[in-house]
Amino acid sequence: MGDSRRYKVFEPPAHVDAIRGDLLRLTFPIEEYRGRYRRVQRMIAEAGLDYLFSTYLPPVCWITGYETLASGAPVALVIPAEGEPTLMIDDFEAFNTLTSSWVEDVVTFPWAGNTTVALIDLAKDRGWAGKRLGWDYNRMAVDVFQGVSDAVDAEWVPMRNVLEEARSQKSPAEIEQFRRAGRLTVLGIQAAREAIRPGAIDTDIANAAYDAIIGGGSERMGWQPVVTVGKRSGIPHTTFRRIPIEPGESILMEFGACVNRYTAPMIRAGFLGQPNNPLWVEMWEGCKDAVENTIRLMRPGAEVTPLAEEASVLLFSLPEGVYVDGNRGYSMGLSFPAGWGDCPGLQIATTQYLPSPRPASYTTLKPGHTFHVRAMARHVGFAGVGVSETVTVTEDGAEVLTSTTRELAIIE
């Protein structure tokens, strides 16, 4: 009888051994990854767990370096309280470990195969049954958790935020990736402003920004460039669609270059000629005020809710019919399409806009917390404007990681 296991240990082709050193390009020194791994192991031990399972790519990448273009492909990382990790992925994606990951124990299951049954077999063969096993909650893989926990006789402990909290304070090496990305985002903003001209369409502006950002050295972005103009700019999450730019109508732009999967977004607004409605300038002034006050108030120990309330006073005073929100900043870090937010619970926001549940440790700012600090205002169906920066909390205040003029672009 053959081997009935639905997984196997990954063994690269023999010829790869000779070039393996050339293939592997870790973003950070191995000591950085090892430090993260030891930090997580301490958290696992403190929680009284024997192992922690994660099926969510951002923390898996943060710990192991592993990444893939197919960010939705199944992945499972098993971290013991003591010892080395195990990474399980399908056999097609396994080759990406040769270019991006330091983990040696890689196991695979067939492409388009069943992640759950492979993980069940692995858990039983590795002796994880009967242990205290933590599951790093991820709503995209609830079915995997349910299937494995039903089949493997162990004490299963759903864990929220363990890996999220571990990576919430960015290291100096991570902050440097944001700085590099921020410089490229600025190039995109500048190119976009220069593309605003009579006869242009929204796609022209997106193209100019994309050329500058990718041409400057960015990787694929976690969130594609946003350029929304005229009446469409007054509707959240619209973007370019070959719409002509009309004189006096709003042009709302949001870009985020990506370096080693770290993204630094910016939002800016402009007009071709003088705005058709003075309200739109008032809206922009409220956005700029909210962002600049948020940055001014950011410091270690600052409470996120009072900070957001104080920073939003002028923005919240805009007249009825203008849509604004109390989200002054959300966590940034590793980004994979389609999205660039990092730690969902870490947010600078008024009470109404705070995510729930969230860790108690997120109620105050800490050094290394890094945010997309933003404010948007939409005269619904007529115009949208906004301002934003990527900002990190320092030991004594905050550092803006994206930097160019925040002034309204009025192109005569």
Side-chain angles (χ1 to χ4, degrees):
M1 294 180 63
D3 191 343
S4 63
R5 295 180 301 182
R6 270 109 16 133
Y7 73 90
K8 63 180 181 179
V9 175
F10 177 55
E11 295 181 359
H15 72 271
V16 170
D17 283 341
I19 60 169
R20 200 159 187 171
D22 297 328
L23 288 172
L24 183 61
R25 290 187 63 184
L26 294 174
T27 297
F28 302 102
I30 188 64
E31 293 77 16
E32 172 95 1
Y33 289 108
R34 282 290 187 181
R36 298 173 186 180
Y37 185 64
R38 288 192 295 270
R39 190 188 325 163
V40 171
Q41 284 189 305
R42 287 194 295 270
M43 296 174 76
I44 293 171
E46 289 167 2
L49 302 175
D50 296 304
Y51 296 88
L52 179 69
F53 290 64
S54 179
T55 52
Y56 184 39
L57 183 57
V60 172
C61 177
W62 182 76
I63 292 171
T64 71
Y66 167 74
E67 63 175 90
T68 170
L69 177 65
S71 52
V75 61
L77 177 66
V78 185
I79 307 169
E82 296 181 1
E84 295 299 297
T86 299
L87 182 62
M88 173 178 273
I89 42 186
D90 72 55
D91 53 13
F92 187 84
E93 298 297 335
F95 296 103
N96 279 305
T97 63
L98 300 174
T99 68
S100 61
S101 177
W102 59 270
V103 175
E104 295 184 2
D105 184 20
V106 178
V107 295
T108 68
F109 57 92
W111 181 79
N114 190 310
T115 314
T116 303
V117 297
L119 199 50
I120 289 169
D121 282 356
L122 183 67
K124 291 179 177 179
D125 288 350
R126 295 288 180 92
W128 297 336
K131 304 293 185 180
R132 195 163 192 262
L133 309 179
W135 193 283
D136 184 47
Y137 175 81
N138 171 30
R139 63 185 176 84
M140 301 302 290
V142 171
D143 58 334
V144 177
F145 169 62
Q146 192 63 57
V148 176
S149 60
D150 286 348
V152 178
D153 184 16
E155 183 183 355
W156 287 95
V157 184
M159 304 291 291
R160 287 180 180 266
N161 306 310
V162 172
L163 296 182
E164 180 181 313
E165 286 195 65
R167 69 182 197 276
S168 63
Q169 290 178 260
K170 308 309 177 190
S171 70
E174 290 178 286
I175 299 300
E176 182 55 32
Q177 309 309 308
F178 284 117
R179 290 193 187 100
R180 294 174 62 190
R183 290 192 285 270
L184 298 179
T185 303
V186 168
L187 293 180
I189 290 289
Q190 292 170 341
R193 290 168 67 102
E194 293 170 2
I196 300 172
R197 62 186 183 278
I201 59 177
D202 54 7
T203 310
D204 294 332
I205 298 176
N207 182 60
Y210 200 94
D211 280 355
I213 291 170
I214 299 298
S218 173
E219 304 151 28
R220 76 192 193 281
M221 289 169 266
W223 186 262
Q224 290 304 307
V226 173
V227 180
T228 181
V229 305
K231 293 179 174 59
R232 286 169 58 85
S233 69
I235 305 298
H237 282 180
T238 55
T239 190
F240 55 93
R241 199 168 184 174
R242 303 165 297 280
I243 307 297
I245 298 170
E246 301 293 346
E249 293 196 341
S250 177
I251 305 160
L252 181 60
M253 303 165 285
E254 183 174 12
F255 313 131
C258 186
V259 173
N260 292 319
R261 302 310 326 147
Y262 288 82
T263 296
M266 295 177 69
I267 299 169
R268 292 294 188 268
F271 292 86
L272 180 61
Q274 292 299 314
N276 290 338
N277 189 332
L279 171 61
W280 303 341
V281 177
E282 184 182 348
M283 288 159 45
W284 171 80
E285 289 171 345
C287 292
K288 182 170 179 281
D289 180 80
V291 166
E292 291 183 345
N293 278 321
T294 300
I295 296 169
R296 176 179 60 83
L297 295 166
M298 289 173 68
R299 63 188 184 279
E303 296 184 25
V304 297
T305 303
L307 191 163
E309 297 280 0
E310 182 176 344
S312 303
V313 172
L314 184 61
L315 189 68
F316 286 167
S317 71
L318 290 168
E320 187 177 353
V322 176
Y323 176 78
V324 298
D325 62 67
N327 180 4
R328 296 286 66 81
Y330 54 83
S331 169
M332 294 302 300
L334 290 166
S335 70
F336 293 90
W340 59 28
D342 189 35
C343 300
L346 181 55
Q347 191 166 304
I348 301 171
T350 59
T351 302
Q352 181 181 358
Y353 290 92
L354 281 172
S356 180
R358 66 190 180 110
S361 61
Y362 287 174
T363 59
T364 59
L365 298 180
K366 298 177 181 178
H369 282 169
T370 303
F371 298 92
H372 183 205
V373 174
R374 39 77 72 198
M376 308 280 279
R378 293 179 175 88
H379 187 194
V380 180
F382 290 98
V385 294
V387 179
S388 80
E389 305 284 5
T390 300
V391 184
T392 191
V393 180
T394 64
E395 293 294 338
D396 56 2
E399 176 188 351
V400 177
L401 303 172
T402 47
S403 185
T404 188
T405 177
R406 295 183 192 131
E407 296 310 305
L408 196 59
I410 298 179
I411 311 301
E412 299 289 356

